[in-house]
Amino acid sequence: GEDVEQSLFLSVREGDSSVINCTYTDSSSTYLYWYKQEPGAGLQLLTYIFSNMDMKQDQRLTVLLNKKDKHLSLRIADTQTGDSAIYFCAETPGYGGSQGNLIFGKGTKLSVKP
Amino acid sequence: EAGVTQFPSHSVIEKGQTVTLRCDPISGHDNLYWYRRVMGKEIKFLLHFVKESKQDESGMPNNRFLAERTGGTYSTLKVQPAELEDSGVYFCASSQYRAMNTEAFFGQGTRLTVV
């Protein structure tokens, strides 16, 4: 079945790097996404990666994809207190649904300590 | 430009009552999606509208849930009668296109508590 797994909590110190990990089960997923949810706000798309890529970098964010192991990670360099939020990993369903028909993990709550 | 707006932000109702959630997508976005997150669990897809038509309603949990999008603009999600397990945060999202590299913009969610 379709399943996306994430650790629930991560705590880092300001200035350190954060690495949030995610595993998924659907090998036919074409896109994988990272969303961020700040307190009281909706989900914000941070970045996405196409399944034929293994890395994508966007400023402080680096996404690594290991398709063989079905493992996705999000690295945040120089983590700031404003990065404190819940980070959701998501994949497109294997039947080729649109970007909105996503399968989400439970979310990783990132706490950044000053 | 206004983002996706949802109303109300919070709702507390008694078991057996009816609640209607509303979502206003970004103007011009034909695609509208409903999701919900039950406490401590994943965000689950409920359904997808393209304009006023239901494209995919495979995630709707049961027939107590009714979604409409008359005129292809705003959408409502009615729960009748509400049960305790319906408590959670209901998110709406919209996108201009269906392509998988097109961003879906999410609203802030409606927190529904059934007591």
Side-chain angles (χ1 to χ4, degrees):
Chain A
E2 302 155 336
D3 203 7
V4 176
E5 299 282 345
Q6 302 176 239
S7 53
L8 296 181
F9 302 98
L10 176 65
S11 180
V12 300
R13 291 213 172 272
E14 191 174 18
D16 288 349
S17 292
S18 307
V19 179
I20 303 172
N21 295 299
C22 167
T23 57
Y24 60 98
T25 55
D26 192 341
S27 58
S28 59
S29 289
T30 49
Y31 282 88
L32 295 125
Y33 307 84
W34 284 104
Y35 278 84
K36 175 183 181 182
Q37 185 187 20
E38 296 181 4
L43 298 170
Q44 174 196 356
L45 178 65
L46 277 181
T47 186
Y48 64 88
I49 188 167
F50 188 50
S51 58
N52 69 352
M53 298 169 63
D54 52 20
M55 187 181 91
K56 182 177 180 181
Q57 187 150 6
D58 182 4
Q59 299 181 337
R60 292 191 298 119
L61 305 178
T62 303
V63 179
L64 295 177
L65 175 60
N66 182 329
K67 200 173 180 185
K68 174 176 170 290
D69 295 338
K70 300 194 193 91
H71 182 266
L72 182 73
S73 68
L74 174 69
R75 178 176 182 270
I76 305 172
D78 187 24
T79 312
Q80 303 298 305
T81 53
D83 295 324
S84 294
I86 301 175
Y87 291 81
F88 292 93
C89 172
E91 63 170 346
T92 49
Y95 59 79
S98 63
Q99 201 259 20
N101 305 26
L102 299 175
I103 299 164
F104 284 87
K106 292 182 181 179
T108 300
K109 185 174 183 178
L110 174 65
S111 298
V112 182
K113 298 178 180 178
Chain B
E1 179 183 353
V4 177
T5 56
Q6 293 186 243
F7 182 82
S9 55
H10 294 85
S11 180
V12 181
I13 62 170
E14 292 185 348
K15 176 183 171 182
Q17 289 186 320
T18 297
V19 63
T20 301
L21 313 180
R22 172 170 169 147
C23 169
D24 285 74
I26 292 173
S27 177
H29 282 192
D30 288 341
N31 297 276
L32 186 149
Y33 311 86
W34 283 99
Y35 283 83
R36 76 170 176 180
R37 186 184 188 206
V38 173
M39 182 65 70
K41 300 206 170 189
E42 301 87 351
I43 299 171
K44 291 282 194 183
F45 166 78
L46 295 179
L47 88 159
H48 170 206
F49 283 100
V50 177
K51 297 185 180 177
E52 67 275 10
S53 299
K54 291 175 185 173
Q55 184 71 28
D56 180 353
E57 52 185 330
S58 60
M60 294 288 265
N62 52 61
N63 60 9
R64 295 186 294 103
F65 289 75
L66 175 64
E68 294 181 319
R69 194 184 181 195
T70 307
T73 54
Y74 70 90
S75 174
T76 57
L77 179 64
K78 180 190 286 188
V79 185
Q80 179 182 29
E83 298 290 343
L84 298 179
E85 65 264 24
D86 301 332
S87 296
V89 180
Y90 289 75
F91 291 102
C92 175
S94 74
S95 67
Q96 190 170 9
Y97 305 112
R98 287 193 61 192
M100 283 184 275
N101 59 351
T102 301
E103 181 171 359
F105 296 86
F106 281 76
Q108 82 283 6
T110 294
R111 182 175 295 277
L112 174 64
T113 303
V114 183
V115 297

